[in-house]
Amino acid sequence: MTMSRTLMTASAIALLAGMAAAQDSVTVGIQLEPPNLDPTGGAAQAIDSVLYSNVFEGLTRFMADGSVVPGLAESWTISDDGLVYTFSLHAGVTFHDGTTMDAEDVKFSLDRARAEDSTNAQKGLFAGISDVTVVDPLTVQVTLDAPNGMFLFNMAWGDAVIVAPESIADIASNPIGTGAFSFADWVQGDRIELTRNDAYWGEAPALASATFRFISDPTAAFAAVMAEDVDVFVGFPAPENLPQFEADPRFQVLVGNTEGETILAMNNKMEPFDNVLVRQAVSLAIDRQAIIDGAMFGLGTPIGTHFAPHNPDYVDLTGNSPYDPDRARALLAEAGYPDGFTTTLKLPPPSYARRGGEIIASQLRAIGIEAEISNLEWAQWLEEAFGAKDFGMTIVSHTEPMDIGIYANPDYYFQYDNPAFQQLMTDLNLTTDPAMRSEMLKQAQTIISEDYVNGYLFELAVPTVAKAGLQGLWLNQPTAAVDLTGVSWAG
Amino acid sequence: MRVPRSLISGAMLSLLVTAGALVSFVWTPYDIEVLDVAGKLRAPSAAHWLGTDHFGRDILSMIMMGARTSIAVALLAVGIGMALGVPLGLWAAARRGSLLDEVIMRGNDLVFAFPSLVIAILITAVFGASAVNAIVAIGIFNIPVFARLTRGAALSLWERDFVLAARVAGKSAFRISWEHILPNLTNLLIVQGTIQFSLGILAEAALSYIGLGAQPPVASWGRMLADAQTLVSIAPHVALVPGLTIVLTVLGLNLMGDGLRDLLDPRIRVARS
Amino acid sequence: MIRYVLARFASLILSLIVASLVIFTVIEIIPGDPAAFMLGVNARPDTIAALRTEMGLDASVPARYLSWVTGMVQGDFGQSYTYRTPVAGMIADRVWVSLPLAVYALILSTLIAFPAGIYAASRRGRPGDMAVMGATQLGVAIPNFWFAMLLVLVFAINLRWFSAGGFPGWDRGVWGGVKALTLPAIALALPQAAILARVMRSSLLDMLGEDFVRTARAKGLSRRQALWRHALRNAMIPVLTIIGLQFSFLLAGGIIIEQVFFLPGLGRLIFQAISARDLIVVESVVMLLVFAVIVVNFAVDLAYALVDPRLRVKG
C-alpha cells in the first residue's frame, strides 16, 4: 500500500512539474536549419530566425510591426550634415560569457563587417561607413561617406549585430551575444536549444528556455504540429492544411505578411526578354490569383511592382498587368513572335516557385510560350540563375526589406539597366526628408512597373500555427526572425 | 502445358497498365497540361473517375501519362542492364578463373557496394534531374545483376556435353558463348528481366518522389505521391490512387515473373538482389 | 584457409582504394560553388573569393585527394564546409541514429520473415503457403515511402500512439529513442521482410530436395526432423548473404525514410550536404557507407568459408 501511494505521489509531482515546465518553455518549428550560428558571416535566413533578437542584438532592432527602435544603443544624435552618428550605449550590458559590452565591441563588430576580407553577406550595409571611433566606453561615433537615410534601418539587420572579439573565434558553433537568451546546445540536423539569460540588461523574457526544431518536409511539419511535438511552427510550409488547424480548438493560426516580393524574374538582357513588349505580354498572360490559389492556397497579396503592399509608400500598380491572354498574344505578335517561343524556367526549391512555376508554365503555354521547367536546388540556382545569369525566367521571393534598390544594379541577375532609375536610387539614398523619400519611392515603383522588368506576382505571406495558449508571437516578418523575448503562455 | 495462374493474373494486371500507357499516346480523358486551379482536389465523380489533384488536373489522365514514364524508364534501364551486363557475364564465364573474370566480378561487387540511391542522387545532382538520368542511374545498377546472373548460369553451361563437344571441335569461346550459351539463357533472362523491370518501376517511383526523375509537366507516379503528401488528410484519393497504382503494377509484374519462371523452367532459381 | 582469407582481404583493400578514387572523382565534377551557396543571394564576389581561400578550395585536385585519404585513415574526415565542425563528429552523431534504425529494421524483418518463410516451406502448396506468398507478393510491391505515409497517417496523426517523427536523442532515455525509431523501422522492414521470407522459403525448399536431406529421410528421420536438423542449417547460407546485403541496403536506403520521419541520420545528412554542395561531408559519408558494405560483404564471405568448405573457390 505504501508503495503505490508513494508511486502516486511521485507521479503527481512529476505531472505537476511537467505541466509547470511546459508553461515556461517553448518548442518552435521552422523549416530551415541554420548552417552555422554566425549571423554576420553568412546569409542564411535561418541563422537570423533562431538568433536574431534572442541571442544577438544590434545597435537598433526591428519590432514586430517593422519599425526600428533603439537596441543596444540607448539613444543617438545625428550631425547636421547627416554624416556623423553618435550612439550612446546602455550601461551594464554583458555578453553571455560574462565580458562587458562596450564601445570597443561596437567598433570591433562594425570594422569586422566592413573589412576587406569580411565574409559578411550584406557588406553593402557597411560600405558607406568611413570611420568608427570609440569616444568612451559607452559612446561610439560612426562617420559616413555620404548621408544615408537608411543607416539606422540598416543597423537593425541581423548582419549588423554586435559581437565580441573574445568569443569571435568559434562564433559559428558557440554564439556569444548580449540577448535575452543564451545558446545552450545544437544537435545538428535536429534542434537548437536556448536558455534564459539571467544577466540580461533589459526586461527579462517570460520563457525560461526555448527549443528550435528543424522540419523542412511539409508533411512532417503538419504531423509535428498535429502531434503537438512543437508548440508553434513559424513559416508553416503547407498552407493547404491551415483550414484544418483553424477548425481545431487546440490551435491558432496567424497569417502575417513578409517583406518577400515573389516575382517571375525575366532575364532582361536575353532575347526575347530584352523587348519590353515581350515582357509586357508575359505579365498579361499571368493570372496572379490562380497562382496564389494554386501554389499558396489563397495566402498572399497580389503586387504590381517590387514593393510590399503593407508599406505606406506602396502604389497599387496591378492595373498595369491584368490577366488578359488575348492582349498578351497580340503583344507577342507585335513584338515579332506570332508563334510564340521557347525558353527556360528555372525554379529553386520553395513551393511558391515549384508550384507557382507549373501554373505559370501552363498559363504561358496558352499564349504560345513554351517554358521548360528545371527544378534546381539552391546551390544550383545560385550558380546558374543568380551567378551565371543563364536563365530565361525564374521565380524567387526577395525577402530583404526595402530592396527596390536592386533594380539600380545592372549586374543583378535579371540585368535591368535603366540609367534614369539608377539616378533616382542614388538621389534617394542621399535624401533623408520623409516626404521627399515617399515621392521618390512611388516614382521608382511606377518606373519598374511600366517597364515590365519582371512579372510581379504576390507578396509572400507567413503562416504561423501555434497552440492556442501561446501569446506574443510576431504576426509579420519585417525581417527573418522568431523573436521570443515577448512570448509567453496564457494563464 | 498448364499456364500458371500467377502468370494469368500477373499478365492481366501488367497489360492493363501497359494499355493505359499506350492509349495515353492517342487519348486521355483530359489534357494534363491545362490547369484548372479552381477545380482542385475534387473527389472521384462521373466527370473525373479518379478525382482531380491540387492543380485541378484529372487524376486518371495523370495516371495514364505516368504509366508511360514508369514503363519507359524501367524498360530502358533493364535494356541497359542486359545490353551491358549479359556480355560481361558471358565474357567472364568464358574466361573463368582469369584476371578478366576476377576484374569483372570485383567490379560487380564494387557496384553492388555503392548505395544505389545515393549514387542516383549524385548523378542527378551533377547532370540534372530528368527521366534520362534516372534511366542511367537505375540502369547502372542493373548491369551487375545481369552480369552475375549470366556468369553463374553460363559457368554451369560450360560444363555441359554439347559445349564440350563444341570446344573439342575447335570453336572459339566467343562463338560458343554466342551460339550455345546465350540461347540457353533466354528463359532465365526473361524471368530476371521481368523482375528487374518491376524493381525499376519502384526505383523510378522513389527517384521521382524525391524529385529526381521526370520533371513537370511530364507526369510521374512518384511525383504525384510527393505532391500529395500534405494533402493526405484533406483529399486522401490524391495519395491513395498513385500508391495503389504502383502496388498493382509491381504486383502484376512480379506475378508475371513468377508465372513465367514456373512456365519456362521451374528449376530456375531466380536471383533477387 | 589462410590463403583464402588473405586473398579476400587483399580484394577488400583494393575495393576500398578503387571506391575512394571513384567517389572523389565523381564528386569533384559536381558543379556548384559551396562558398557562393553559403554566402547567399546578395553576397559580393570578393567575400566569396575570401571564403574559397579560407576553405582551401584553390588547392590542386591530386593534393586534395591525398590529404582526404590520409586524413580518413587517421580518423580525420575533414571539416564541413557549411557547419564548420569536424565531419567525424557529425558522422558519429548521425551514425547513432542510422545504425540503430538499420539494426532495428533488420531485427523486425528477420523476426517476421523467418517464421513466415519456414511456415510457408513446411506447408508447401497448401493454403498456408499461398497466404504467406500472397502477403509477401504484396509486401514486395509496396513502395516503402508510401507505406511510411500511411503509417504516419494512421498511427501518428489519427491514433497518436507515436510521434510523427523526429528523434529526441539517446541522452533523453533509451525508450524514447526506440519509440521514435519504431514507425521508421517498420516502414523499412516490411518490404525487406517480404523478400527475406521468400528467400527463406525457396532456400529451404531447395534444401529439402537435396541429396543429403533425402539421405536423412531415408535413414528414417521425419520430414520435420529433416527440416530442422539438416535443411535449415544449410539453408542459412543464402539467407546469410541476403541479410548481409539487406543490412547494407537498410543503412544506406534509409535516406527516404529519414526524410519522411525527419530523423537526423546519415541519409538526411547526405541529402542536405548534396543540396548545400558540402563536398567533404558527401565524400566522407558515401565513403563510410561503401566501407561498411564492403566490410559486411567480407564478413559474409568469411562466414561462408567457415560454414561451407565447398564454397572456397581457390583453397
Side-chain angles (χ1 to χ4, degrees):
Chain A
M1 273 297 109
T2 328
M3 185 75 145
S4 62
R5 218 178 323 150
T6 320
L7 209 59
M8 276 174 58
T9 325
S11 40
I13 293 177
L15 195 66
L16 282 172
M19 279 172 59
Q23 294 308 306
D24 66 357
S25 74
V26 74
T27 305
V28 181
I30 57 174
Q31 258 203 300
L32 297 175
E33 181 180 15
N36 62 69
L37 301 176
D38 179 7
T40 64
Q45 220 186 18
I47 307 177
D48 286 330
S49 294
V50 176
L51 303 176
Y52 183 78
S53 202
N54 295 326
V55 173
F56 285 108
E57 301 170 301
L59 290 171
T60 51
R61 67 182 250 201
F62 285 110
M63 293 298 288
D65 59 0
S67 58
V68 174
V69 302
L72 287 175
E74 190 174 38
S75 63
W76 53 79
T77 55
I78 313 176
S79 66
D80 288 332
D81 56 5
L83 294 176
V84 181
Y85 286 71
T86 311
F87 293 97
S88 296
L89 306 174
H90 278 284
V93 179
T94 54
F95 283 95
H96 298 136
D97 58 0
T99 59
T100 41
M101 193 292 297
D102 57 25
E104 288 290 347
D105 296 305
V106 175
K107 178 173 169 60
F108 171 74
S109 303
L110 293 179
D111 285 343
R112 173 176 175 266
R114 64 195 186 97
E116 269 303 309
D117 58 353
S118 152
T119 54
N120 194 309
Q122 300 295 338
K123 233 160 132 178
L125 296 175
F126 311 92
I129 299 176
S130 65
D131 177 66
V132 184
T133 320
V134 173
V135 174
D136 62 53
L138 290 181
T139 317
V140 62
Q141 214 169 59
V142 179
T143 314
L144 306 178
D145 290 332
N148 184 351
M150 301 282 291
F151 182 65
L152 291 169
F153 181 86
N154 291 347
M155 290 297 106
W157 284 45
D159 306 81
V161 294
I162 303 303
V163 295
E166 297 91 337
S167 51
I168 201 66
D170 36 316
I171 185 178
S173 52
N174 187 15
I176 305 285
T178 58
F181 295 92
S182 61
F183 169 74
D185 189 21
W186 183 10
V187 177
Q188 272 151 7
D190 189 35
R191 62 183 185 274
I192 288 180
E193 285 166 15
L194 309 178
T195 54
R196 176 160 59 205
N197 173 14
D198 292 317
Y200 184 54
W201 58 272
E203 196 184 310
L207 297 172
S209 66
T211 306
F212 281 84
R213 292 191 58 192
F214 313 113
I215 304 170
S216 57
D217 182 63
T219 328
F222 173 69
V225 177
M226 283 298 269
E228 301 189 31
D229 288 343
V230 297
D231 298 314
V232 54
F233 204 107
V234 178
F236 187 76
E240 52 267 35
N241 297 131
L242 293 180
Q244 244 174 314
F245 291 124
E246 272 164 356
D248 190 327
R250 293 180 290 158
F251 304 111
Q252 51 171 320
V253 175
L254 307 167
V255 177
N257 51 47
T258 65
E259 293 294 321
E261 291 84 15
T262 312
I263 59 173
L264 172 70
M266 296 184 262
N267 195 339
N268 278 234
K269 287 225 172 85
M270 184 190 275
E271 233 194 280
F273 298 108
D274 51 351
N275 184 334
V276 63
L277 288 175
V278 170
R279 298 198 301 266
Q280 189 180 1
V282 168
S283 302
L284 264 55
I286 304 172
D287 179 356
R288 286 189 191 88
Q289 202 51 50
I291 299 172
I292 295 176
D293 289 336
M296 310 301 294
F297 283 76
L299 294 187
T301 321
I303 53 175
T305 182
H306 196 104
F307 213 75
H310 53 264
N311 191 306
D313 295 323
Y314 175 73
V315 182
D316 185 359
L317 294 158
T318 50
N320 280 352
S321 47
Y323 176 53
D324 193 347
D326 292 324
R327 182 144 154 67
R329 263 182 234 110
L331 283 166
L332 264 190
E334 196 186 319
Y337 299 93
D339 299 319
F341 56 89
T342 309
T343 184
T344 54
L345 176 57
K346 304 208 171 173
L347 305 173
S351 65
Y352 62 72
R354 297 285 172 91
R355 285 185 181 167
E358 276 197 71
I359 300 176
I360 287 180
S362 164
Q363 290 170 346
L364 290 177
R365 202 173 292 124
I367 66 162
I369 301 179
E370 194 59 43
E372 287 166 357
I373 293 181
S374 314
N375 286 337
L376 308 177
E377 293 297 320
W378 275 118
Q380 276 170 300
W381 184 86
L382 274 172
E383 178 170 289
E384 288 179 32
F386 190 71
K389 299 160 187 121
D390 174 21
F391 71 100
M393 301 187 290
T394 182
I395 301 179
V396 75
S397 195
H398 287 258
T399 52
E400 285 87 15
M402 285 295 264
D403 59 352
I404 193 171
I406 57 179
Y407 286 79
N409 177 1
D411 289 326
Y412 206 58
Y413 71 102
F414 47 78
Q415 302 184 98
Y416 174 59
D417 195 355
N418 182 345
F421 187 82
Q422 288 154 16
Q423 185 57 50
L424 182 58
M425 282 296 112
T426 318
D427 295 338
L428 178 66
N429 282 339
L430 296 175
T431 313
T432 42
D433 172 51
M436 284 198 61
R437 286 183 65 85
S438 176
E439 256 324 292
M440 296 166 100
L441 283 171
K442 291 187 175 143
Q443 208 185 337
Q445 293 172 57
T446 313
I447 296 179
I448 61 174
S449 169
E450 288 173 357
D451 251 355
Y452 296 99
V453 182
N454 295 317
Y456 308 103
L457 302 177
F458 58 89
E459 190 79 6
L460 206 58
V462 59
T464 299
V465 183
K467 290 220 185 102
L470 205 53
Q471 301 169 326
L473 296 164
W474 279 19
L475 174 66
N476 302 321
Q477 290 266 297
T479 184
V482 180
D483 189 332
L484 297 172
T485 54
V487 174
S488 62
W489 290 95
Chain B
M1 207 179 348
R2 230 192 77 244
V3 180
R5 256 206 323 229
S6 52
L7 179 56
I8 297 180
S9 45
M12 273 171 55
L13 275 173
S14 312
L15 281 172
L16 184 65
V17 176
T18 316
L22 289 174
V23 169
S24 79
F25 281 102
V26 207
W27 170 84
T28 55
Y30 292 82
D31 180 359
I32 66 164
E33 292 188 355
V34 173
L35 306 185
D36 172 25
V37 174
K40 64 178 191 255
L41 301 176
R42 296 255 164 87
S45 65
H48 294 276
W49 289 5
L50 295 175
T52 61
D53 69 1
H54 58 292
F55 283 152
R57 292 178 293 208
D58 176 50
I59 292 186
L60 177 57
S61 309
M62 293 284 285
I63 293 282
M64 288 167 70
M65 301 290 278
R68 262 202 238 177
T69 311
S70 294
I71 291 176
V73 171
L75 200 60
L76 288 170
V78 169
I80 291 179
M82 276 201 199
L84 293 173
V86 170
L88 277 176
L90 286 176
W91 206 7
R95 298 249 194 280
R96 69 201 154 290
S98 71
L99 181 64
L100 178 78
D101 183 20
E102 191 66 23
V103 165
I104 290 182
M105 290 323 288
R106 290 302 129 243
N108 269 359
D109 288 344
L110 199 65
V111 181
F112 275 133
F114 277 78
S116 56
L117 189 60
V118 179
I119 302 304
I121 295 177
L122 277 176
I123 290 178
T124 40
V126 175
F127 300 106
S130 70
V132 171
N133 292 334
I135 294 171
V136 169
I138 302 173
I140 289 180
F141 288 93
N142 276 336
I143 297 175
V145 172
F146 285 103
R148 180 175 284 197
L149 184 75
T150 310
R151 176 183 178 277
L155 275 181
S156 64
L157 281 172
W158 271 95
E159 308 300 328
R160 299 275 288 277
D161 288 342
F162 63 93
V163 172
L164 285 171
R167 284 172 72 188
V168 163
K171 277 194 182 165
S172 74
F174 175 78
R175 282 189 68 188
I176 295 179
S177 298
W178 180 251
E179 288 173 22
H180 297 285
I181 311 274
L182 186 57
N184 283 290
L185 294 177
T186 356
N187 289 348
L188 191 65
L189 289 177
I190 290 176
V191 175
Q192 189 67 33
T194 312
I195 304 299
Q196 293 304 119
F197 186 50
S198 89
L199 289 174
I201 302 259
L202 280 175
E204 192 278 327
L207 284 177
S208 298
Y209 175 76
I210 48 179
L212 300 179
Q215 299 296 296
V218 177
S220 147
W221 293 340
R223 221 180 57 242
M224 288 172 76
L225 280 178
D227 287 338
Q229 259 195 299
T230 49
L231 304 164
V232 142
S233 31
I234 307 174
H237 66 279
V238 189
L240 289 176
V241 171
L244 284 173
T245 312
I246 296 175
V247 173
L248 288 173
T249 309
V250 174
L251 189 64
L253 285 166
N254 285 345
L255 285 174
M256 205 163 84
D258 284 351
L260 279 171
R261 185 201 60 218
D262 289 343
L263 181 71
L264 294 175
D265 186 352
R267 286 173 306 157
I268 295 175
R269 241 200 324 209
V270 174
R272 191 186 284 278
S273 63
Chain C
M1 176 72 179
I2 300 289
R3 260 207 300 178
Y4 176 74
V5 172
L6 283 178
R8 289 257 137 275
F9 189 70
S11 155
L12 174 140
I13 298 294
L14 187 66
S15 301
L16 286 176
I17 293 177
V18 173
S20 72
L21 276 169
V22 170
I23 292 172
F24 187 80
T25 316
V26 167
I27 289 176
E28 287 296 308
I29 308 176
I30 293 184
D33 185 357
F37 177 66
M38 283 169 61
L39 291 178
V41 177
N42 282 341
R44 294 146 64 116
D46 52 341
T47 24
I48 297 178
L51 194 53
R52 280 184 63 91
T53 320
E54 186 188 316
M55 298 195 306
L57 282 176
D58 295 329
S60 78
V61 167
R64 281 158 64 194
Y65 172 72
L66 279 172
S67 76
W68 174 56
V69 173
T70 45
M72 273 200 306
V73 167
Q74 293 166 352
D76 170 21
F77 286 80
Q79 241 214 9
S80 155
Y81 288 159
T82 42
Y83 287 111
R84 313 299 205 114
T85 54
V87 180
M90 289 171 71
I91 291 182
D93 287 339
R94 304 200 184 211
V95 158
W96 283 114
V97 175
S98 291
L99 193 61
L101 176 62
V103 171
Y104 195 175
L106 192 61
I107 292 175
L108 281 180
S109 119
T110 314
L111 281 177
I112 299 173
F114 274 20
I118 295 174
Y119 175 74
S122 67
R123 295 268 187 283
R124 182 201 195 155
R126 305 215 296 268
D129 181 21
M130 314 287 246
V132 171
M133 282 297 101
T136 55
Q137 281 283 21
L138 208 59
V140 166
I142 295 182
N144 62 8
F145 52 91
W146 185 60
F147 189 55
M149 270 164 69
L150 298 179
L151 283 175
V152 167
L153 183 63
V154 173
F155 292 101
I157 297 182
N158 283 344
L159 289 174
R160 313 263 290 274
W161 288 357
F162 294 92
S163 98
F167 192 70
W170 293 114
D171 47 337
R172 297 227 182 141
V174 175
W175 175 238
V178 170
K179 205 164 165 229
L181 292 180
T182 302
L183 285 186
I186 295 176
L188 263 181
L190 203 80
Q192 298 306 108
I195 297 175
L196 197 58
R198 295 174 77 87
V199 172
M200 185 83 230
R201 174 187 176 276
S202 73
S203 171
L204 259 181
L205 288 178
D206 288 336
M207 287 302 137
L208 285 173
E210 288 284 324
D211 288 342
F212 66 92
V213 175
R214 279 208 285 263
T215 316
R217 296 217 57 201
K219 283 200 314 196
L221 287 170
S222 76
R223 185 146 179 227
R224 189 164 232 197
Q225 283 171 318
L227 188 76
W228 284 101
R229 208 180 290 181
H230 294 281
L232 196 57
R233 220 176 25 192
N234 287 282
M236 290 306 288
I237 297 171
V239 174
L240 272 176
T241 330
I242 299 292
I243 290 185
L245 284 173
Q246 276 207 20
F247 182 71
S248 324
F249 171 79
L250 289 171
L251 197 59
I255 290 180
I256 297 187
I257 295 295
E258 285 179 17
Q259 289 278 96
V260 179
F261 289 98
F262 51 103
L263 298 172
L266 288 176
R268 213 156 65 112
L269 179 60
I270 294 180
F271 221 166
Q272 289 172 332
I274 291 180
S275 304
R277 303 271 189 252
D278 195 331
L279 303 180
I280 294 277
V281 172
V282 177
E283 277 173 339
S284 301
V285 179
V286 174
M287 190 66 226
L288 186 69
L289 287 174
V290 173
F291 175 77
V293 171
I294 292 180
V295 165
V296 168
N297 283 347
F298 177 66
V300 170
D301 280 346
L302 284 186
Y304 262 18
L306 287 173
V307 169
D308 185 359
R310 286 182 309 164
L311 292 178
R312 274 176 243 156
V313 175
K314 292 173 193 170

